[in-house]
């Protein structure tokens, strides 16, 4: 069908990964890639940006346009393997994307995403999200974050993608 699904890798040593067979999460007719997963309060949460239909996704890539922002999918699991879709997750700005890093600090879920932010957004349940009281400015795309022992954050991101090459006129 051309529709992508989130596959989750497993590892026994944290260095070498393999994908288990089977679909973990999919949305019929939509491209489901760039998943972020986190374990919070005994429940696994999966957050995925809405990348549109396969035709929309490929057309944007071909023309060097960014994927849409503002909406994402949310699913939960008790075993980290079989996910059940929950209500979609809107962001207050379509310039922001659910494309990044989901983690738990024990008290709440935090998501560091792509776009002007503010990031992170925080949630107690994975359904209702609010900006952090101490937001961070993060240049780049698809950030990964970890809290350091001193309470500060280490955030690593890729650079903004270059525009797609254009073909010379015939």
């Amino acid at each position: 069908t051309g529709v992508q699904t989130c596959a989750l890798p497993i590892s026994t040593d944290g260095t070498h990964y393999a994908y288990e067979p089977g679909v973990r999460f999919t949305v019929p007719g939509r491209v489901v890639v760039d998943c972020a997963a986190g374990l919070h309060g005994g429940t696994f949460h999966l957050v995925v940006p809405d990348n549109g239909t396969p035709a929309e996704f490929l057309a944007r890539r071909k023309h060097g346009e960014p994927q849409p922002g503002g909406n994402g999918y949310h699913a939960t699991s008790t075993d980290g393997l079989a996910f059940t879709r929950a209500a979609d997750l809107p962001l207050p700005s379509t310039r922001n994307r659910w494309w990044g890093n989901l983690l738990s600090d024990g008290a709440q879920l935090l998501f560091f995403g792509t776009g002007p932010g503010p990031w992170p957004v925080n949630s107690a349940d994975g359904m209702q999200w609010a900006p952090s009281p101490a937001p961070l400015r993060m240049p780049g795309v698809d950030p990964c974050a970890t809290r350091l022992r001193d309470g500060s954050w280490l955030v690593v991101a890729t650079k903004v993608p270059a525009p797609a090459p254009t073909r010379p006129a015939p």
Side-chain angles (χ1 to χ4, degrees):
T1 64
V3 176
Q4 300 289 318
T5 60
C6 279
L8 300 176
I10 59 169
S11 175
T12 57
D13 63 7
T15 302
H16 301 90
Y17 289 85
Y19 288 97
E20 286 190 322
V23 173
R24 302 298 177 219
F25 178 73
T26 190
V27 178
R30 309 301 278 184
V31 176
V32 179
V33 295
D34 299 318
C35 308
L39 177 61
H40 179 68
T43 299
F44 291 89
H45 293 264
L46 189 68
V47 174
V48 187
D50 178 359
N51 293 296
T53 67
E56 293 166 341
F57 182 82
L58 292 173
R60 280 190 289 277
R61 290 190 70 145
K62 180 179 178 182
H63 295 101
E65 299 170 359
Q67 297 301 324
N71 189 50
Y73 306 118
H74 178 225
T76 60
S77 172
T78 56
D79 64 5
L81 298 173
F83 284 86
T84 302
R85 186 174 178 185
D88 287 356
L89 300 174
L91 284 167
S93 169
T94 57
R95 294 177 48 211
N96 291 326
R97 295 193 64 216
W98 291 104
W99 186 20
N101 183 210
L102 179 65
L103 60 134
S104 174
D105 69 2
Q108 61 188 345
L109 285 162
L110 299 101
F111 188 85
F112 292 82
T114 298
W119 302 110
V121 289
N122 306 325
S123 177
D125 61 4
M127 299 298 294
Q128 302 296 317
W129 294 85
S132 170
L136 305 171
R137 278 278 172 222
M138 296 181 303
V141 176
D142 199 9
C144 180
T146 189
R147 191 178 300 267
L148 302 177
R149 288 185 182 150
D150 68 2
S152 64
W153 288 101
L154 173 64
V155 181
V156 178
T158 63
K159 69 178 190 166
V160 176
T166 57
R167 298 172 80 176

